């Protein structure tokens, strides 16, 4: 009797004041009561629960996947740029002979933070135990010491005295060859001396002075650093270098620095950016990220469709109640708000639960990965496949906000048609056929 009388009093109050209260206590009470499970309309509560779980998992999955993709790109980018620099000045068809002069001119360009001359080449590394391909990079000791991604991750030995001879190798390469600091490593280069019988391979043995671990398996298993003078002699570049490695203040705007650096380097040199060197790799990451976002958005759409189906069934079951409320003075707006609240409450609670679940998962993703790996007895994030030694996750506030707003929009949009249908129900027809 109280619930039936309230709409009549409410309508009189609205008529007297000339305005309607949005989402009154009675509307909240009725909306929540409709969602509670009862014997006759229990299927509605089941569908509501499925919709809640779908929205929660959809929001959480979107946040987790987008955060992992962001972390994956950031980690790869930081390691690639940390080891390879932002730009390279290379000679056209030959080595850069007067590299100190060219380096001074490039160093004077605004925005350039460092210029490092280097010599690099492909070699075969050998030990008594194994053999493997590797990339040798010759640098001055002071330049390698300033390369934080290497100097700060030396696990065994030291880079001090590298100009006097010796090499620094990656941890995975050392493990594959069964070598450690103090052992000799044999390097074999196909670019050797030219003899009457053809080109003789260049072979040299060097002591290992340091072992580093960057955390990216591709680099830890393939990079060897030596002094610039030894690299020039080994690869027979004489008084020249292979390239000048350049770092600038803002690597994202590297294309703006290409022209001034090319002018400073001179017409005998060409400039290559990190984006050109890794264009296909990062383009593939971006495409994969966009496709994953579209696919996972379907989870939210399916959950929203469940809200529509559940509310339509609820409207059908509550046809007589709606007719009674309308005859007692409830307005169409009040009825519409009741069913809007029924559906929106599912979407809001599911979105908030998914938001919390996604953040908790992202903040503890490496711990969860290790726990699942120990539980299943398998390696879930192999460094040989994903290049990284741990699973990264970087939560972007803008993306998380976009996911939450999208989930709320879909949830609210899903309630409009069932709520409009309930408000449009003719009381006379509903009571006649009831």
């Amino acid at each position: 009797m109280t619930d039936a009388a309230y709409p009549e009093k409410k309508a009189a109050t609205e008529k007297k004041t000339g305005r309607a209260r949005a989402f009154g206590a009675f509307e909240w009470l009725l909306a929540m009561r409709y969602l509670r499970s009862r014997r006759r309309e229990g299927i509605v509560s089941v569908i509501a629960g499925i919709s809640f779980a779908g929205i929660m998992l959809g929001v959480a999955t979107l946040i987790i996947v987008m955060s992992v993709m962001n972390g994956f790109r950031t980690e790869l980018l930081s390691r690639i740029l940390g080891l390879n620099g932002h730009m390279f000045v290379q000679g056209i068809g030959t080595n850069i002979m007067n590299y100190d002069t060219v380096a001074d001119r490039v160093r004077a360009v605004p925005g350039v933070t460092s210029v490092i001359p280097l010599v690099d080449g492909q070699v075969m590394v050998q030990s008594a135990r194994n053999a493997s391909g590797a990339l040798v990079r010759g640098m001055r000791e002071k330049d390698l010491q300033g390369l934080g991604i290497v100097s700060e991750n030396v696990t065994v030995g030291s880079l001090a005295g590298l100009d006097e001879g010796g090499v620094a190798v990656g941890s995975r390469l050392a493990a594959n060859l069964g070598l450690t600091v103090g052992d000799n490593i044999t390097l074999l280069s196909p670019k050797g001396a030219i003899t009457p019988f053809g080109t003789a391979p260049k072979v040299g043995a060097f002591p290992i002075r340091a072992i580093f671990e960057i955390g990216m398996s591709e680099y830890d298993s393939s990079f060897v650093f030596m002094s610039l003078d030894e690299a020039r002699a080994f690869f027979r570049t004489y008084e020249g270098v292979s390239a000048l490695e350049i770092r600038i203040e803002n690597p994202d705007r590297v294309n703006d620095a290409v022209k001034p650096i090319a002018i400073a380097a001179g017409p005998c040199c060409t400039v290559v950016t990190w984006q050109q060197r890794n264009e296909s790799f990062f383009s593939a990451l971006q495409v994969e990220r966009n496709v994953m976002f579209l696919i996972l958005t379907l989870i939210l759409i399916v959950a929203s469709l469940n809200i529509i189906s559940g509310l339509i069934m609820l409207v059908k079951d509550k046809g007589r109640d709606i007719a009674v409320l309308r005859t007692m003075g409830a307005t169409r707006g009040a009825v519409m708000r009741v069913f809007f609240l029924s559906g929106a409450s599912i979407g809001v609670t599911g979105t908030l639960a998914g938001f919390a679940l996604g953040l908790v998962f992202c903040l503890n993703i490496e711990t969860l990965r290790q726990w699942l790996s120990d539980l299943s007895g398998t390696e879930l994030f192999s460094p040989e496949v994903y290049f990284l030694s741990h699973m990264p996750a970087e939560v972007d506030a803008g993306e998380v906000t976009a996911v939450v707003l999208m989930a709320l929009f879909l949830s609210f949009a899903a309630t409009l048609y069932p709520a409009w249908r309930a408000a449009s129900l003719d009381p006379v027809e509903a009571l006649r056929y009831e």
Side-chain angles (χ1 to χ4, degrees), residues 369-380:
R369 183 195 70 83
Q370 293 178 358
W371 178 74
L372 290 175
S373 296
D374 296 339
L375 185 65
S376 60
T378 59
E379 194 169 16
L380 299 181

Side-chain angles (χ1 to χ4, degrees), residues 406-417:
M406 181 180 65
L408 293 176
F409 171 77
L410 291 175
S411 301
F412 294 161
T415 64
L416 294 180
Y417 173 71

Side-chain angles (χ1 to χ4, degrees), residues 16 97 104 124 138 143 202 221 295 328 362 364 401 407:
K16 181 178 179 180
M97 304 306 295
D104 290 337
M124 175 71 72
D143 293 332
K202 177 74 173 180
S221 62
I295 292 174
M328 301 276 308
C362 289
N364 301 276
T401 302

Side-chain angles (χ1 to χ4, degrees), residues 87-90 96 98-112 115 244 246 248 256-271:
M87 307 173 70
F88 289 88
V89 172
Q90 300 172 335
I96 304 176
N98 55 337
Y99 60 88
D100 281 328
T101 303
V102 176
D104 290 337
R105 294 201 304 262
V106 172
R107 201 174 284 114
V109 175
V112 175
V115 180
L244 297 177
I246 303 171
I248 61 177
D256 297 338
V258 170
K259 186 175 180 179
I261 290 178
I263 294 174
C268 62
C269 299
T270 181
V271 180

Side-chain angles (χ1 to χ4, degrees), residues 3-166:
D3 291 345
Y6 184 84
E8 186 176 0
K9 294 180 181 179
K10 178 183 175 182
T13 303
E14 293 174 1
K15 185 175 180 181
K16 181 178 179 180
T17 59
R19 60 182 181 88
R21 291 176 56 199
F23 306 123
F26 170 73
E27 293 161 0
W28 278 103
L29 175 65
L30 200 58
M32 297 301 104
R33 180 176 295 179
Y34 282 168
L35 288 177
R36 273 182 283 180
S37 176
R38 292 187 181 184
R39 184 174 302 176
R40 188 163 61 95
E41 63 270 7
I43 187 64
V44 176
S45 296
V46 172
I47 295 176
I50 295 174
S51 303
F52 168 83
I55 292 176
M56 179 185 67
L57 293 177
V59 171
T61 304
L62 269 173
I63 292 175
I64 294 168
V65 170
M66 300 307 290
S67 299
V68 169
M69 294 294 290
N70 289 337
F72 192 72
R73 184 183 184 278
T74 301
E75 289 290 328
L76 287 178
L77 189 60
S78 64
R79 281 164 171 75
I80 290 174
L81 296 186
L83 193 62
N84 293 300
H86 306 152
M87 307 173 70
F88 289 88
V89 172
Q90 300 172 335
I92 300 178
T94 183
N95 297 319
I96 304 176
M97 304 306 295
N98 55 337
Y99 60 88
D100 281 328
T101 303
V102 176
D104 290 337
R105 294 201 304 262
V106 172
R107 201 174 284 114
V109 175
V112 175
T113 57
S114 69
V115 180
I116 301 174
L118 55 86
V119 174
D120 55 11
Q122 297 284 343
V123 299
M124 175 71 72
V125 294
Q126 294 178 329
S127 68
R129 173 180 171 181
N130 205 347
S132 176
L135 176 66
V136 172
R137 179 164 291 179
M139 303 174 62
R140 292 167 177 160
E141 181 183 328
K142 63 177 183 179
D143 293 332
L144 188 57
Q145 291 281 9
L147 203 62
I149 195 171
V150 177
S151 60
E152 295 175 3
N153 291 289
V154 174
T155 56
V156 183
S158 172
L159 297 177
L162 194 66
D163 279 344
E164 301 173 3

Side-chain angles (χ1 to χ4, degrees), residues 297-381:
T297 302
L298 296 177
I299 299 177
L300 294 178
I301 296 177
V302 171
S304 301
L305 293 178
N306 286 335
I307 293 178
I308 295 176
S309 61
L311 287 181
I312 289 177
M313 293 182 63
L314 182 62
V315 170
K316 183 178 179 181
D317 289 341
K318 298 298 182 180
R320 182 176 179 276
D321 294 353
I322 296 171
V324 171
L325 288 173
R326 290 295 309 280
T327 58
M328 301 276 308
T331 62
R332 287 188 175 184
V335 174
M336 189 172 184
R337 287 192 293 270
V338 167
F339 287 92
F340 176 82
L341 288 172
S342 297
S345 59
I346 299 173
V348 172
T349 54
T351 300
L352 294 179
F355 170 75
L357 178 62
L359 288 184
V360 171
F361 200 99
C362 289
L363 295 176
N364 301 276
I365 191 167
E366 179 61 20
T367 303
L368 293 172
R369 183 195 70 83
Q370 293 178 358
W371 178 74
L372 290 175
S373 296
D374 296 339
L375 185 65
S376 60
T378 59
E379 194 169 16
L380 299 181
F381 193 77

